[in-house]
Amino acid sequence: MDKFRICGGRALHGTVKISGAKNSALPAMAAALLTDEPVTLHNIPKVRDIITMGRLLAFMSATVSTPEFPAESYTIESKSLNDAVAPYELVKTMRASILTLGPAIARSGVAHVSLPGGCAIGARPVDLHLAALEKMGAQIATEHGYIQARVPNGGGLKGAHIVFEKITVTGTENILMAAALAEGVTILENAAREPEITDLIHLLRKMGADIQGDDTSILRIRGVSKLHGAVHGVIPDRIEAGTFLVAGAITGGEITVANCQPAHLGAVLTKLETTGVHVDTVNPCTLRVHAAKKLVASDVTTEEYPGFATDMQAQYMALATQAEGTSVITETIFENRFLHASEMIRMGANLSVDGRRAVVRGPAHLSGTTVQASDLRASAGLVLAALVAEGETVIDRVYHIDRGYEGIVEKLQDLGADIERLHFPTS
Ligand code: EPZ
């Protein structure tokens, strides 16, 4: 059970190289189930969720090979896919396992995927995924904690007109993958528009899929009878890039964020500018953040892309604790995504939470203490708060952050942070 020890107060300087996007790599790996040919993926982040997805695909009898482990490149080959099962033991550690449902039922007509269950940040049901697959002809029952999905009479899925009542990222990805092999045309309305969705469309197209509507909320997929192998490099992680931009801003330093895609960070860059933080676009894949003379408070509301990402909310809260004035943070995507707030209050932050709204008054003098990480992005917010806190902070349960940030300790050390990972043997 590792912990991080951080001594705050140092301005960060230097260059950080952003890794591939976890939320693009996961659906890309699941998409390999759609074909019996090899799919090779590059720029994969070395994070725990990728290892879990690799194990899950292997459990579904795919071969998952890498030059070394963990790796930046994977070749996944799902020669056969019979009676695919995604077991609870793996699904409970990573909700994104649900991304195997669409490809498995589209390819083999059968899938048994454990229901993901609750999550710290919200109930996170998958009802929209299931309703859409039923519209495509799947019979779905949930028994003993498992989604039992099958297409009757051994047939395939059929194209359908689907309107999501709520925008869902993995729901859009599941239906995109299922529709790629369905008979006829699927129209998907109110689809998510995250860059990770467009990246998946690019991969599926390389595999032979017929999809139109990139970057829009209406996707049109004409199913094909067979998909083939492909080679694809996933996009950089915009949330990791955003996290390091805030690290530069909050510590009063200057960081060059390399190997990112500035175009994917629109709302974050706009919000940082309003707080007085200046970010230069050095070139099409490099940003440089310069600390603000004075951080100024600014309200933010999380939204689906291209709005301000909910996965940047905790990091923004850390910044708001250091900004002059009152920032109101409204979380519209998840009903319980302020677990980091009480830990920041323990560090001395002046904030209050009322349902989906947090009111942050700054600047507050933060001081180091022991805090607990509750989920992936909350952990990132606590690391940022600890970087400006006086004295030593110990962050417990950092296994959360290892799920989605590659080598964050080493990357921060290279920027001059006083941070180390403390290893504690699990009893
Ligand atoms: C994806 O989760 C990301 N995960 C999340 O990132 C991210 O926070 C989220 O999208 C929103 O941007 C991956 O891509 C692997 P949703 P997802 O379905 O797809 C409700 C991180 O930190 N909903 O878009 O699970 C749901 O409860 C993670 O990297 C239903 O009601 O999120 C939520 O309130 C955390 N029924 C809203 O929609 C459904 O069937 C959006 O959820 C599906 C979703």
Side-chain angles (χ1 to χ4, degrees):
M1 192 68 90
D2 289 5
K3 301 174 192 261
F4 287 172
R5 183 199 62 70
I6 301 173
C7 256
R10 292 187 182 177
L12 302 188
H13 291 274
T15 299
V16 60
K17 182 173 173 289
I18 298 302
S19 304
K22 165 185 78 82
N23 291 347
S24 201
L26 294 171
M29 292 173 79
L33 294 175
L34 288 166
T35 175
D36 56 5
E37 295 179 21
V39 171
T40 298
L41 301 170
H42 297 298
N43 198 30
I44 301 293
K46 297 176 183 167
V47 296
R48 211 147 48 78
D49 275 9
I50 298 297
I51 297 168
T52 307
M53 182 58 89
R55 289 206 180 111
L56 180 56
L57 296 175
F59 191 92
M60 291 177 148
S61 14
T63 53
V64 181
S65 45
T66 69
E68 83 278 344
F69 203 76
E72 266 193 28
S73 296
Y74 287 75
T75 296
I76 301 160
E77 195 168 1
S78 165
K79 283 210 177 72
S80 65
L81 186 62
N82 307 320
D83 250 349
V85 176
Y88 175 66
E89 286 65 38
L90 288 170
V91 175
K92 74 177 179 192
T93 65
M94 182 187 69
R95 309 180 51 77
S97 308
I98 193 74
L99 287 165
T100 59
L101 177 62
I105 190 162
R107 166 100 178 275
S108 69
V110 179
H112 310 282
V113 174
S114 167
L115 275 165
C119 164
I121 64 177
R124 302 184 72 180
V126 292
D127 56 322
L128 302 176
H129 302 228
L130 305 186
L133 287 171
E134 282 174 332
K135 260 203 125 182
M136 298 175 76
Q139 280 175 351
I140 296 188
T142 49
E143 290 151 6
H144 309 297
Y146 276 76
I147 299 162
Q148 311 289 4
R150 70 179 46 255
V151 182
N153 322 321
L157 292 173
K158 303 248 177 318
H161 187 171
I162 294 161
V163 182
F164 275 138
E165 69 187 62
K166 213 179 193 179
I167 295 175
T168 161
V169 173
T170 49
T172 300
E173 292 164 345
N174 247 330
I175 301 310
L176 257 176
M177 293 189 275
L181 275 182
E183 197 187 310
V185 173
T186 297
I187 306 284
L188 189 46
E189 286 195 44
N190 202 27
R193 291 186 282 156
E194 272 65 6
E196 295 75 27
I197 304 274
T198 306
D199 201 28
L200 176 62
I201 291 173
H202 291 166
L203 167 60
L204 292 172
R205 219 174 259 138
K206 285 179 187 170
M207 295 170 69
D210 177 349
I211 303 172
Q212 279 146 22
D214 307 27
D215 305 320
T216 76
S217 60
I218 303 184
L219 299 173
R220 191 175 183 287
I221 308 108
R222 176 181 296 283
V224 296
S225 54
K226 190 175 181 334
L227 291 167
H228 50 73
V231 177
H232 181 71
V234 302
I235 56 174
D237 196 314
R238 61 193 167 99
I239 306 298
E240 185 193 16
T243 303
F244 278 100
L245 289 174
V246 174
I250 203 173
T251 62
E254 180 176 293
I255 297 179
T256 300
V257 178
N259 191 48
C260 67
Q261 276 200 15
H264 294 164
L265 285 147
V268 172
L269 297 177
T270 310
K271 183 48 61 182
L272 287 177
E273 291 290 341
T274 62
T275 65
V277 176
H278 184 57
V279 182
D280 284 329
T281 300
V282 179
N283 61 44
C285 56
T286 307
L287 291 166
R288 183 168 301 128
V289 57
H290 307 271
K293 291 198 179 42
K294 188 173 73 174
L295 284 171
V296 183
S298 179
D299 300 348
V300 73
T301 297
T302 64
E303 291 170 295
E304 297 87 356
Y305 192 86
F308 189 92
T310 172
D311 293 348
M312 279 298 299
Q313 180 254 96
Q315 299 91 318
Y316 186 78
M317 183 180 279
L319 184 87
T321 66
Q322 301 306 299
E324 185 88 26
T326 302
S327 310
V328 177
I329 301 177
T330 307
E331 173 56 58
T332 69
I333 308 293
F334 293 109
E335 64 271 26
N336 189 33
R337 202 168 203 181
F338 284 134
L339 294 169
H340 41 279
S342 50
E343 298 303 295
M344 289 185 190
I345 291 171
R346 295 192 64 255
M347 298 175 79
N350 178 357
L351 66 90
S352 56
V353 172
D354 173 14
R356 290 186 179 227
R357 249 165 53 100
V359 178
V360 186
R361 294 178 189 79
H365 173 73
L366 301 186
S367 54
T369 181
T370 299
V371 292
Q372 279 210 20
S374 53
D375 60 82
L376 169 58
R377 307 303 171 183
S379 336
L382 294 176
V383 167
L384 294 170
L387 288 172
V388 288
E390 183 212 320
E392 182 176 294
T393 298
V394 172
I395 304 181
D396 203 347
R397 300 183 179 193
V398 291
Y399 56 82
H400 286 293
I401 210 167
D402 291 335
R403 293 188 50 191
Y405 286 86
E406 176 180 333
I408 192 163
V409 170
E410 295 72 20
K411 288 185 180 183
L412 285 169
Q413 285 171 341
D414 291 348
L415 295 169
D418 179 353
I419 178 171
E420 65 175 322
R421 178 185 293 270
L422 309 174
H423 296 287
F424 289 85
T426 40
S427 46

